[in-house]
Amino acid sequence: MVEWSLATFHTSLFVLLIIFFLYSRDALGPALAGLNTLLGLALFVALWATTYLTTCRALEGLDLAGEGDRRLFARRAFRWGAANGIAFLAVLALVLVASAVFVSPSGLLPVLFVAPFALIISAVVGAIVGTLFSAIDLVLLALARALAEV
């Protein structure tokens, strides 16, 4: 249940932050113009699924009540955050490549050039986001414990 809750929280907050960022730049309308409800839902579910799987791996065998496990959790969140970024990029790449094969097979050549850079960027962004979310998780866990003791 913890993994499911954290994956849902992380995915929802991440998407919400992207929406707020796009809205603040007056880019939300154009970004959503090419996205229908079914595709948006499918992307959210794909992000949630990769986040759930990587969160399960990051929390595997840990007891966040222990000080040592909290440090280990932060290191694992860094590593599995990077894996989550790469996994979600792989899902996006599969969708884009599959659609390009049917629409324009010659459009695949730029994808081969961009792929290594996209992998690095997705790993870095995933690692940073994973580390930030692990810090938020640990703060919220400490707050919940403090409130439970009162």
Side-chain angles (χ1 to χ4, degrees), residues 16-28:
L16 189 63
L17 290 174
I18 290 173
I19 288 171
F20 282 151
F21 177 77
L22 290 174
Y23 181 77
S24 71
R25 304 282 188 263
D26 288 330
L28 186 59

Side-chain angles (χ1 to χ4, degrees), residues 50-73:
T50 61
T51 303
Y52 175 75
L53 293 173
T54 55
T55 300
C56 287
R57 293 298 304 255
L59 290 173
E60 190 174 284
L62 293 182
D63 176 24
L64 294 181
E67 184 69 31
D69 279 354
R70 285 187 232 158
R71 288 189 190 117
L72 181 58
F73 175 57

Side-chain angles (χ1 to χ4, degrees), residues 1-140:
M1 184 70 165
V2 171
E3 294 89 352
W4 186 89
S5 299
L6 287 176
T8 303
F9 170 68
H10 295 163
T11 305
S12 299
L13 183 59
F14 185 71
V15 170
L16 189 63
L17 290 174
I18 290 173
I19 288 171
F20 282 151
F21 177 77
L22 290 174
Y23 181 77
S24 71
R25 304 282 188 263
D26 288 330
L28 186 59
L32 293 177
L35 189 68
N36 64 33
T37 304
L38 187 58
L39 181 59
L41 179 62
L43 288 173
F44 182 84
V45 169
L47 180 60
W48 180 86
T50 61
T51 303
Y52 175 75
L53 293 173
T54 55
T55 300
C56 287
R57 293 298 304 255
L59 290 173
E60 190 174 284
L62 293 182
D63 176 24
L64 294 181
E67 184 69 31
D69 279 354
R70 285 187 232 158
R71 288 189 190 117
L72 181 58
F73 175 57
R75 286 194 308 265
R76 283 186 179 182
F78 179 84
R79 181 179 25 177
W80 286 105
N84 189 19
I86 293 170
F88 186 65
L89 177 67
V91 170
L92 289 177
L94 285 174
V95 171
L96 291 175
V97 167
S99 65
V101 166
F102 294 113
V103 176
S104 171
S106 64
L108 292 177
L109 188 59
V111 171
L112 294 175
F113 176 73
V114 172
F117 301 107
L119 275 173
I120 293 168
I121 292 169
S122 68
V124 169
V125 170
I128 291 169
V129 170
T131 302
L132 289 174
F133 279 151
S134 73
I136 292 169
D137 294 343
L138 292 174
V139 167
L140 290 175

